[in-house]
């Protein structure tokens, strides 16, 4: 698991992963979300999303790109902790012990959404999960700005922990940008294969 701290108002707040992805810097014309959609489409990968604190904003960010339907299977907004268990299959004992804002919860959300949003029996090859505290109040003993993003790619889950500053809207927006950046990093690690 990697950790990063940043301002929720910055261009990309995924710490070292932003540098590895060539993510957008101020004035850069490359749209990282368009790149994610184009590259996952080119490779024939299906994307599934599980969102908590982002409340559908990550799915909306991908859908903003024309042609996203060729790669995006769908999204589950599991805002209620019980939905994380009942729909995504997150371990109930883990949720009782740690609460919803935890790295392992994010990991299990990604694994669960890949399965739940399978298309014709084919689980999503790329799954993204977000959980955290947007604020203004703490949750599960964790302060606002505590965020976990999990990305499932190539059968492996990698979780990034973020510690963001800013108001509720800024934390949620920064989480979306960081999730896109984390997906691009995961794609770069996969063998390059083109869809047939």
């Amino acid at each position: 698991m990697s950790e990063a701290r940043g301002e929720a108002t910055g261009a990309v707040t995924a710490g070292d992963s932003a540098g590895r992805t060539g993510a957008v810097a101020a004035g850069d014309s490359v749209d990282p979300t368009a790149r994610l959609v184009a590259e996952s489409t080119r490779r024939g990968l299906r994307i599934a999303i599980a969102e908590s604190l982002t409340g559908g904003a990550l799915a909306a960010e991908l859908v903003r790109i024309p042609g996203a339907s060729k790669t995006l299977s769908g999204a589950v907004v599991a805002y209620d902790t019980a939905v994380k268990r009942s729909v995504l299959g997150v371990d109930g004992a883990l949720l009782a012990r740690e609460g919803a804002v935890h790295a392992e919860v994010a990991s299990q959300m990604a694994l669960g959404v890949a399965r739940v949003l399978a298309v014709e029996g084919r689980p999503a090859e790329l799954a993204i999960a977000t959980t955290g505290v947007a604020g203004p109040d703490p949750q599960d003993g964790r302060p606002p700005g505590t965020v976990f993003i999990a990305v499932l790619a190539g059968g492996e889950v990698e979780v990034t922990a973020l510690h963001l500053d800013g108001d509720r809207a800024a934390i949620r927006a920064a989480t979306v940008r960081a999730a896109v950046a984390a997906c691009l990093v995961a794609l770069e690690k996969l063998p390059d294969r083109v869809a047939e």
Side-chain angles (χ1 to χ4, degrees):
M1 180 174 70
S2 60
E3 289 199 42
R5 177 154 192 83
E7 290 291 323
T9 56
V12 175
T13 58
D16 67 317
S17 24
R20 288 184 303 199
T21 65
V24 173
D28 194 339
S29 63
V30 177
D31 181 334
T33 305
R35 202 166 102 221
L36 173 61
V37 168
E39 186 61 18
S40 58
T41 299
R42 184 184 73 79
R43 293 178 182 218
L45 302 176
R46 299 301 301 179
I47 299 174
I49 300 170
E51 300 187 65
S52 186
L53 86 149
T54 49
L58 180 55
E61 173 63 10
L62 268 68
V63 170
R64 176 180 67 81
I65 306 301
S69 62
K70 294 175 184 163
T71 190
L72 179 62
S73 295
V76 173
V77 177
Y79 203 68
D80 187 309
T81 299
V83 174
K84 292 172 181 67
R85 182 187 52 73
S86 65
V87 175
L88 298 175
V90 175
D91 180 65
L94 171 66
L95 290 167
R97 185 177 65 250
E98 300 292 345
V101 183
H102 190 269
E104 183 59 24
V105 171
S107 178
Q108 289 185 23
M109 287 172 66
L111 290 164
V113 80
R115 176 187 44 79
V116 167
L117 295 180
V119 174
E120 297 177 2
R122 175 185 163 200
E125 296 89 357
L126 187 60
I128 313 156
T130 64
T131 189
V133 186
D137 300 318
Q139 180 183 338
D140 301 328
R142 291 173 178 81
T146 303
V147 173
F148 296 97
I149 298 168
V151 177
L152 168 67
E156 301 290 325
V157 179
E158 186 166 328
V159 178
T160 301
L162 300 175
H163 305 283
L164 303 172
D165 299 313
D167 65 12
R168 183 175 178 82
I171 289 169
R172 292 178 68 235
T175 300
V176 168
R177 290 190 301 271
V180 169
C183 286
L184 287 168
V185 169
L187 273 176
E188 289 176 357
K189 293 178 181 178
L190 292 178
D192 190 7
R193 70 172 175 89
V194 178
E196 298 174 5

